Amino acid sequence: MTAVPGRARRADAERNARLLVAAAREVFDERGPGAPLDEIAKRAGVGNATLYRHYPTRDDLLAAVYADEVEALCDRGTALLAEADAGEALHAWLESFAVQVATGRAPAFAGADGDGARRTEQFARWHAALTRAAERLLARAQQEGAAREDLTVAEVLTLTHAIATSSTDPDRVRRLLAIARHGLTGR
């Protein structure tokens, strides 16, 4: 049987991409999102050129590493829209977002208000998806009187992001969010 030209390379490329993402997840968990990319390539058993061919920028690699977490957070937002208490749904989602950021599990979307020029296309899509999830939850909470009408999603995400980056302790982040919640509900 003759190999189809290009097919072996595609399978090899997919394998390399998976190895790079797995190695990057480990290295980022150990050393943070600023870890040397050379270390990731070495741990994956590939050369630097392979790393950069698959992930031209650090943001591309971060986005690939944390894609599942971003998707899960967006899915959680959609599920929470069905909750009876709109204020509780908004707060639960903001807490999930903040804990992800605080614990360093989601550096791909930690910058809620970062410089758009530096974002990759994929990062920008996920940022937009997270913003849409927050917008829907906030709008529902506002319609039901569970959140102040004068709030914007940018304000809510900026406040949540500020709280999230103030500590790596999830309990501390939850406490600070509970304190901030008074400003969100106007009560």
Side-chain angles (χ1 to χ4, degrees):
M1 176 177 221
T2 306
V4 176
R7 183 155 294 176
R9 278 187 285 205
R10 279 195 292 264
D12 189 47
E14 288 176 24
R15 180 187 61 82
N16 287 342
R18 283 192 304 273
L19 289 171
L20 284 162
V21 168
R25 181 175 283 115
E26 289 174 6
V27 173
F28 290 154
D29 284 350
E30 293 167 10
R31 300 188 59 187
L37 297 180
D38 291 348
E39 183 178 335
I40 293 166
K42 183 177 178 181
R43 193 171 296 188
V46 301
N48 287 348
T50 299
L51 172 88
Y52 290 110
R53 188 170 37 258
H54 287 282
Y55 305 105
T57 69
R58 179 178 301 274
D59 283 345
D60 290 325
L61 184 56
L62 284 165
V65 168
Y66 295 103
D68 292 342
E69 292 174 32
V70 172
E71 185 177 331
L73 192 55
C74 289
D75 290 347
R76 178 157 167 71
T78 299
L80 285 167
L81 284 170
E83 291 294 313
D85 187 322
E88 288 298 322
L90 173 63
H91 184 70
W93 189 87
L94 292 173
E95 184 177 290
S96 295
F97 173 78
V99 168
Q100 289 272 0
V101 173
T103 57
R105 293 295 308 147
F109 59 87
D113 235 7
D115 177 12
R118 292 182 356 175
R119 289 190 191 127
T120 65
E121 183 179 320
Q122 189 172 31
F123 181 98
R125 278 195 310 271
W126 284 333
H127 183 264
L130 290 167
T131 300
R132 276 192 307 278
E135 281 172 336
R136 293 169 59 200
L137 289 161
L138 177 61
R140 180 171 171 249
Q142 288 170 323
Q143 289 169 354
E144 294 184 17
R148 291 174 29 184
E149 289 184 21
D150 64 333
L151 291 174
T152 67
V153 74
E155 292 168 335
V156 172
L157 288 176
T158 298
L159 176 62
T160 304
H161 180 260
I163 290 169
T165 58
S166 71
S167 177
T168 58
D169 178 2
D171 292 332
R172 175 83 173 137
V173 167
R174 287 182 185 100
R175 168 119 171 94
L176 291 172
L177 277 172
I179 293 167
R181 188 174 184 185
H182 172 74
L184 294 177
T185 62
R187 296 179 206 156

